[in-house]
């Protein structure tokens, strides 16, 4: 793996932009991340974080942007997704595997991200999610 990748995107809060934005980012990482299963994991987590930022953070207000930073260096990939919303209590995220939450149509994104990524942290009152995946 030569060099490093640093990408910075600003995306309008429009769910139609999620797939093309994520596809572009994963396409740029593909040259350095060869394992298809890792690319699938990265794609899923980035999609979930971006959808959450647009829907829950920015309330789909198109004039509000979501910022995405991507860093790949050595054997690690980092994502940082930030919205302009009110934030949320990151210590009080319902567990989607609990009986009362099994039938809920949403609420699994952060759970999946935490299961897949090696490190997940929240900043700025829940307006920014940091995700780290080791490629080994």
């Amino acid at each position: 793996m030569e060099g490093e990748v640093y990408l910075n995107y600003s995306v309008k809060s429009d769910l139609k932009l999620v797939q093309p934005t994520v596809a572009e980012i994963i396409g740029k990482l593909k040259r350095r991340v060869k394992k298809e299963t890792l690319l699938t994991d990265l794609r899923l987590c980035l999609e979930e974080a971006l959808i959450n930022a647009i829907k829950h953070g920015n309330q789909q207000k198109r004039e509000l942007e979501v910022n995405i930073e991507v860093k790949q260096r050595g054997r690690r990939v980092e994502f940082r997704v930030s919205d302009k919303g009110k934030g949320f209590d990151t210590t009080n995220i319902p567990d989607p595997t609990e009986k009362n939450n099994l039938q809920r149509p949403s609420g699994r994104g952060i759970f999946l991200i935490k299961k897949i990524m090696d490190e997940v942290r929240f900043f700025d009152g829940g307006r920014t999610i940091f995700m780290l995946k080791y490629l080994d």
Side-chain angles (χ1 to χ4, degrees):
M1 257 187 241
E2 295 178 25
E4 66 180 48
V5 174
Y6 177 78
L7 307 169
N8 194 344
Y9 290 79
S10 288
V11 180
K12 298 278 184 205
S13 292
D14 183 343
L15 291 173
K16 290 182 220 154
L17 299 175
V18 172
Q19 294 298 328
T21 302
V22 171
E24 183 175 330
I25 291 168
I26 296 301
K28 290 180 178 179
L29 290 174
K30 214 173 207 174
R31 295 182 205 131
R32 291 176 170 80
V33 180
K34 300 299 181 192
K35 285 179 77 175
E36 200 60 42
T37 55
L38 273 173
L39 287 169
T40 299
D41 286 349
L42 294 172
R43 178 182 293 113
L44 175 63
C45 291
L46 186 55
E47 282 177 3
E48 289 295 335
L50 189 50
I51 289 167
N52 282 347
I54 290 171
K55 283 176 78 173
H56 304 294
N58 288 350
Q59 304 290 308
Q60 297 188 59
K61 294 178 183 168
R62 197 160 156 55
E63 69 276 9
L64 297 178
E65 293 187 335
V66 175
N67 185 264
I68 306 160
E69 288 181 59
V70 182
K71 292 180 186 174
Q72 180 280 312
R73 58 182 167 222
R75 303 298 306 159
R76 59 191 281 153
V77 175
E78 299 173 8
F79 295 129
R80 190 177 299 264
V81 178
S82 303
D83 62 59
K84 307 285 190 264
K86 295 183 222 174
F88 70 103
D89 180 0
T90 61
T91 63
N92 191 22
I93 300 170
D95 181 346
T97 64
E98 287 181 0
K99 187 177 179 183
N100 292 344
N101 297 328
L102 289 176
Q103 298 301 318
R104 292 183 62 212
S106 64
R108 292 169 188 80
I110 292 173
F111 178 82
L112 284 171
I113 290 169
K114 286 182 172 183
K115 290 290 183 193
I116 292 170
M117 298 302 274
D118 294 311
E119 186 178 323
V120 178
R121 288 184 275 153
F122 294 94
F123 298 96
D124 196 24
R127 286 182 284 277
T128 297
I129 184 171
F130 168 84
M131 302 174 285
L132 167 70
K133 184 73 175 170
Y134 292 105
L135 303 177
D136 296 319

